[in-house]
Amino acid sequence: MADKLLNKCQEYIHRHGLLSTGDRALLAVSGGVDSMVLLDLFSRMPYRYGVAHCNFHLRGIEGDEDALSVQEKCRELGVEHFNIDFDTAAQARATGESIEMAARRLRYDWFHRLCTEHGYTKIVIAHHSDDSVETFFIHLIRGTGLRGLTGIHVTNGKIIRPLLFATRREILDYAHEKKIGFRVDSSNLTTKYLRNKIRLGIIPRIKEISPQFGATMTSNVERLSDALLFIDRQIDALRQRITEPTGRGTAFSIDRIDPELPRNYVLYELLRPYGFNSEVVQDLTHSLDTAKCGTRFYSHTHVAYLDRGRIIVEGIQQARAYALSVEQHVQKVYGLGGLLTFETVEREDAGSLQQLRHTALLDAARITYPLTVRLWEEGDSFIPLGMSGRKKVSDFLIDEKVALPDKNQQLVVLSGKEIVWLVGRRIDERYKVTAQTTHVLRIARQECDDALYR
């Protein structure tokens, strides 16, 4: 049985072209059975690899023991090992993310940094077929399109999943046969998280009805993946027919799209490679229906706008001069892939007045409309909350050790010519809520959820 799993893994890697002899693989190893089996399999295959382990400090001594277990195994195998500690709860509080999303962002950012710093070319994750089925249900429950129903993909950039063919049962059997030590994450036994509710509650009941459910779902996901591949090819063909270069970007001719097609979906697929999410595309489609030109729609890297029956898409560097004007009645605007919401409330209705990274609480009486939302520019300055003197935005971002890609996407909100919020980082001292404040302007930034067509 053990040799069978090893052979199937090697065949799966070869069939999907996941690794070559020139690659260096960074294995994400938590200490659980899936990743410890992954580590054992790689120790028996001819690939160069190292190990990365994250301690999210969410389970007390259990997490510390996981880290020691992985470290000891790596020493036994003589393999390069990296370990990092995250204060995940504090990160989630600072950003407004869920614990799960904060942990995911932290670990993948770190994996990519390790690749850059130590020459790894692939990030290897121990997801298996049961994980893919659970992901199918998570997307289905939260709302998704066809892309979200294809489960977990075997590759995603540098990320590869060479165990995606295997079931949880096969992995457990391998671990027992090979006497592989592994840690049991107690959080996997609680129904606090949606994935566990699906794993422990929904799927076992379905298997009572259909014992072959696992194999059936694997076939279903494969068919959905085939359908998605067909759609992607058709979208690529359409893109070639309706796209033409402009002086600073790309233009899509709307009148060349078959009116019988679902336009919102087609536009989303056309604009998705530029980072536009489904919410932004819905607003753009509404502007098409109302013949409203001039409004600009932002992703993290591009801006799109309507011009004489065409959608023009330009890189964000060409769009640095563009600014969004926000009148007092406006409740939301999209900027660089994020949704900014604006709400003025009486101070007693404002709730907690704690300043969080992704929320600005400002004295509404000090605000002059229209507000302006734009990318920061050289020469911009403000008085950061808690300070008494002006500071250049460029210096503030350097002191905060903000990476260059994030610097290029940094938004500011201005009242008149003064910055009131360096979005996601710090408000201006002069606009803070004080004892004399009667009304609070709450501006919040949210990363737009791209689930509708995912």
Side-chain angles (χ1 to χ4, degrees):
M1 172 62 191
D3 290 339
K4 182 179 179 182
L5 187 69
L6 176 62
N7 292 335
K8 286 173 69 175
C9 185
Q10 290 177 310
E11 190 276 332
Y12 193 77
I13 290 172
H14 177 73
R15 174 155 50 94
H16 292 277
L18 302 185
L19 288 167
S20 65
T21 54
D23 281 314
R24 295 188 69 215
L26 181 67
L27 277 58
V29 180
S30 67
V33 62
D34 305 333
S35 60
M36 294 301 281
V37 165
L38 177 74
L39 176 56
D40 186 83
L41 290 170
F42 265 75
S43 73
R44 300 170 188 273
M45 294 190 290
Y47 301 111
R48 296 182 298 164
Y49 69 96
V51 169
H53 174 82
C54 306
N55 187 343
F56 296 104
H57 288 277
L58 297 172
R59 297 183 294 112
I61 193 170
E62 279 190 30
D64 297 335
E65 290 174 348
D66 291 350
L68 286 173
S69 174
V70 174
Q71 186 174 350
E72 289 173 3
K73 185 62 178 179
C74 288
R75 285 175 178 169
E76 176 188 324
L77 294 172
V79 63
E80 187 173 35
H81 169 253
F82 305 93
N83 187 73
I84 194 169
D85 295 275
F86 291 121
D87 189 346
T88 312
Q91 280 282 328
R93 287 193 299 271
T95 62
E97 298 170 291
S98 67
I99 290 289
E100 298 96 312
M101 290 301 297
R104 184 182 189 281
R105 173 177 55 81
L106 289 168
R107 68 176 177 265
Y108 280 108
D109 285 351
W110 182 55
F111 294 158
H112 283 287
R113 288 201 304 273
L114 288 177
C115 287
T116 300
E117 294 168 4
H118 298 277
Y120 288 96
T121 56
K122 301 289 184 179
I123 299 167
V124 188
I125 309 296
H127 286 140
H128 49 71
S129 63
D130 292 59
D131 291 322
S132 188
V133 172
E134 292 160 10
T135 299
F136 171 94
F137 279 101
I138 288 172
H139 289 170
L140 188 66
I141 290 168
R142 289 176 172 170
T144 187
L146 180 59
R147 203 171 299 278
L149 296 179
T150 56
I152 299 174
H153 295 171
V154 64
T155 62
N156 182 10
K158 287 185 177 181
I159 298 170
I160 63 172
R161 299 178 173 91
L163 285 182
L164 209 52
F165 68 91
T167 65
R168 182 177 284 113
R169 183 72 265 164
E170 288 177 308
I171 290 170
L172 279 169
D173 288 344
Y174 181 94
H176 291 314
E177 185 173 338
K178 288 291 185 180
K179 296 182 173 56
I180 297 171
F182 60 88
R183 302 277 302 166
V184 177
D185 185 345
S186 61
S187 67
N188 288 335
L189 305 177
T190 175
T191 55
K192 177 181 177 181
Y193 304 109
L194 177 58
R195 183 176 291 275
N196 289 353
K197 290 178 181 178
I198 293 169
R199 177 184 301 163
L200 302 175
I202 294 175
I203 292 179
R205 294 187 180 183
I206 295 176
K207 285 184 176 179
E208 290 176 4
I209 301 170
S210 174
Q212 300 302 316
F213 171 73
T216 300
M217 277 302 301
T218 299
S219 296
N220 288 339
V221 169
E222 288 178 355
R223 293 189 190 98
L224 290 168
S225 298
D226 289 344
L228 183 61
L229 176 60
F230 176 80
I231 290 172
D232 285 344
R233 294 289 175 87
Q234 296 304 308
I235 289 292
D236 288 342
L238 175 63
R239 190 190 310 277
Q240 294 179 19
R241 292 199 303 270
I242 72 171
T243 302
E244 58 185 56
T246 67
R248 298 189 300 183
T250 301
F252 298 96
S253 299
I254 306 302
D255 59 0
R256 296 182 189 175
I257 300 175
D258 184 345
E260 297 297 319
L261 293 176
R263 185 170 61 174
N264 201 51
Y265 178 80
V266 170
L267 291 180
Y268 169 75
E269 290 296 333
L270 290 170
L271 295 174
R272 184 173 56 84
Y274 301 97
F276 293 96
N277 59 61
S278 59
E279 293 179 77
V280 175
V281 173
Q282 283 180 336
D283 276 8
L284 187 150
T285 304
H286 178 70
S287 293
L288 277 173
D289 293 335
T290 57
K292 184 179 180 181
C293 296
T295 304
R296 286 176 163 78
F297 303 88
Y298 291 85
S299 73
H300 284 289
T301 55
H302 289 78
V303 60
Y305 59 93
L306 308 181
D307 178 61
R308 294 172 293 180
R310 302 183 302 169
I311 297 175
I312 310 296
V313 179
E314 298 174 357
I316 208 68
Q317 290 305 316
Q318 287 81 18
R320 291 198 70 88
Y322 299 151
L324 301 172
S325 182
V326 183
E327 299 291 348
Q328 190 164 3
H329 66 277
V330 171
Q331 295 181 322
K332 67 177 183 178
V333 297
Y334 291 103
L336 296 177
L339 170 65
L340 290 178
T341 60
F342 299 80
E343 180 185 25
T344 300
V345 297
E346 294 185 10
R347 177 171 176 159
E348 54 266 31
D349 297 328
S352 171
L353 294 178
Q354 180 184 4
Q355 294 285 354
L356 302 175
R357 278 190 58 191
H358 287 274
T359 303
L361 301 175
L362 308 170
D363 188 334
R366 297 177 178 270
I367 299 298
T368 301
Y369 288 92
L371 295 172
T372 301
V373 181
R374 61 166 171 80
L375 291 161
W376 76 280
E377 299 172 352
E378 287 295 337
D380 280 346
S381 66
F382 72 128
I383 303 177
L385 180 66
M387 298 179 62
S388 57
R390 279 190 172 272
K391 191 177 187 72
K392 286 185 177 181
V393 169
S394 57
D395 292 338
F396 182 90
L397 295 175
I398 290 172
D399 291 346
E400 292 290 305
K401 297 181 173 57
V402 178
L404 181 60
D406 294 328
K407 284 183 184 179
N408 290 337
Q409 299 168 9
Q410 180 63 55
L411 289 173
V412 291
V413 179
L414 296 92
S415 172
K417 295 183 179 180
E418 294 289 348
I419 292 174
V420 300
W421 188 29
L422 189 64
V423 176
R425 303 192 189 279
R426 194 75 63 86
I427 68 166
D428 188 288
E429 170 75 17
R430 294 165 296 176
Y431 295 86
K432 69 181 181 182
V433 175
T434 67
Q436 289 72 45
T437 300
T438 59
H439 288 78
V440 175
L441 171 63
R442 182 193 291 121
I443 311 175
R445 174 163 184 159
Q446 305 169 21
E447 293 299 320
C448 296
D449 182 17
D450 193 17
L452 184 58
Y453 296 117
R454 183 170 52 207

